[in-house]
Every structure is written in structure tokens, then in C-alpha cells.
Amino acid sequence: EQETPGVIEEVPENPQPEEIPEEDLVPVSWQSSMHMADKIEHYIQENFSDVNLSLTQLADAFNLTKQYMCWLFKKEKNVTINQCIIHTRLKWAKEYMRRNPFVKIKNVAAKAGFADSSYFIKIYKKYEQVTPADYLRECNENKPEEKI
């Protein structure tokens, strides 16, 4: 038999659209930038305690300009890199103090990557609405007494 030009193959009555993986809907160049933002965030999580962690160090580690790296991270994560560093450090410090309620504030600050404990106290209060010392006091008050 010969095919008749212009005749369309029979189509099923209820055709199901083909499932397209979500990553295929995003241009490849965007995918790599999303992965890059995730890699930067992971690097911050692994290195937050380094008092020298900076935009310059991150840009060098990922072979990016500071400007492009900051733009890309903000676009993908909706926070700045500096906000991410501070949030990561404060989250760690809060958990550390919760687990170690008799620790000295200057030691928490140093372990969390803050070179200056005064700055740590200022930033902690700004984000947590309580000073680290008050938080430690709360942790001590809520700690169950040991039975002898």
C-alpha cells in the first residue's frame, strides 16, 4: 500500500502527556548555577568555623568572581552569602550552647567562627532577640536536675 499524503496516523482517544523530568524543564546553564549555589552552601556548612571564611575565599575556592558568585547565590537561595554564613554560625552556636550550658561565650564565639566575641553577642541578639548569656541561663534553668 502507498501512504496517502496528508493523512494523519490514528491518535488514541485520551493521549497521556509524556512525563518530563523537572530537571529537563530547566536550561542546562541554570542547572549548573543551582548546583553551584548548593556547592557554595555546602562549603559554608563545612567551613563556617573558619574565622577567615570570606567572599574572597569562597570565590577563589569556586573559581568565580565575587560579584557573579554573590549574584548567583542570592538568585538561587534568596539570601546573601554573608547571611548564610551568619545563619549557619548562629544555628551551630545555639545548638552547641544548648548541649553545653556551662560553656564560656568567648569559646562559643571562637568555635562558631567569630573572631570577636562582642560581635558574636551583637549578632546573636539581633537574630535571636536574646543574648547568648541569657540563652545559656535559660538552658541551665530548663536542664533537669541530676538525681543522686
Side-chain angles (χ1 to χ4, degrees), residues 4-16:
T4 312
V7 173
I8 300 174
E9 290 182 25
E10 197 172 304
V11 178
E13 280 191 32
N14 293 320
Q16 294 297 313

Side-chain angles (χ1 to χ4, degrees), residues 3 7 12 18-19 24 43 45 50-51 58 67 69 80 94 96 119-120 131 133 139 142:
E3 287 187 20
V7 173
E18 181 184 338
E19 283 290 320
D24 290 349
Y43 187 94
Q45 291 167 350
D50 179 357
V51 295
L58 285 165
Q67 293 81 2
M69 179 185 66
T80 67
K94 188 172 186 177
Y96 185 75
Y119 179 67
F120 166 67
T131 66
C139 291
N142 296 332

Side-chain angles (χ1 to χ4, degrees), residues 85-103:
I85 292 170
I86 287 171
H87 173 75
T88 303
R89 287 174 170 169
L90 292 179
K91 182 178 175 186
W92 181 89
K94 188 172 186 177
E95 180 62 18
Y96 185 75
M97 289 187 294
R98 188 184 69 74
R99 292 175 183 221
N100 302 283
F102 299 103
V103 70

Side-chain angles (χ1 to χ4, degrees), residues 9-69:
E9 290 182 25
E10 197 172 304
V11 178
E13 280 191 32
N14 293 320
Q16 294 297 313
E18 181 184 338
E19 283 290 320
I20 301 173
E22 192 173 325
E23 58 272 8
D24 290 349
L25 297 173
V26 178
V28 174
S29 62
W30 291 10
Q31 289 177 33
S32 62
S33 73
M34 291 186 324
H35 295 305
M36 184 60 70
D38 289 339
K39 287 177 184 177
I40 293 167
E41 185 175 45
H42 180 74
Y43 187 94
I44 291 167
Q45 291 167 350
E46 294 294 312
N47 297 281
F48 71 88
S49 62
D50 179 357
V51 295
N52 297 314
L53 182 62
S54 65
L55 295 177
T56 301
Q57 181 184 343
L58 285 165
D60 289 348
F62 290 96
N63 200 25
L64 300 169
T65 66
K66 284 195 287 189
Q67 293 81 2
Y68 177 72
M69 179 185 66

Side-chain angles (χ1 to χ4, degrees), residues 99-111:
R99 292 175 183 221
N100 302 283
F102 299 103
V103 70
K104 292 184 188 303
I105 303 294
K106 67 179 184 177
N107 293 343
V108 176
K111 288 177 184 257

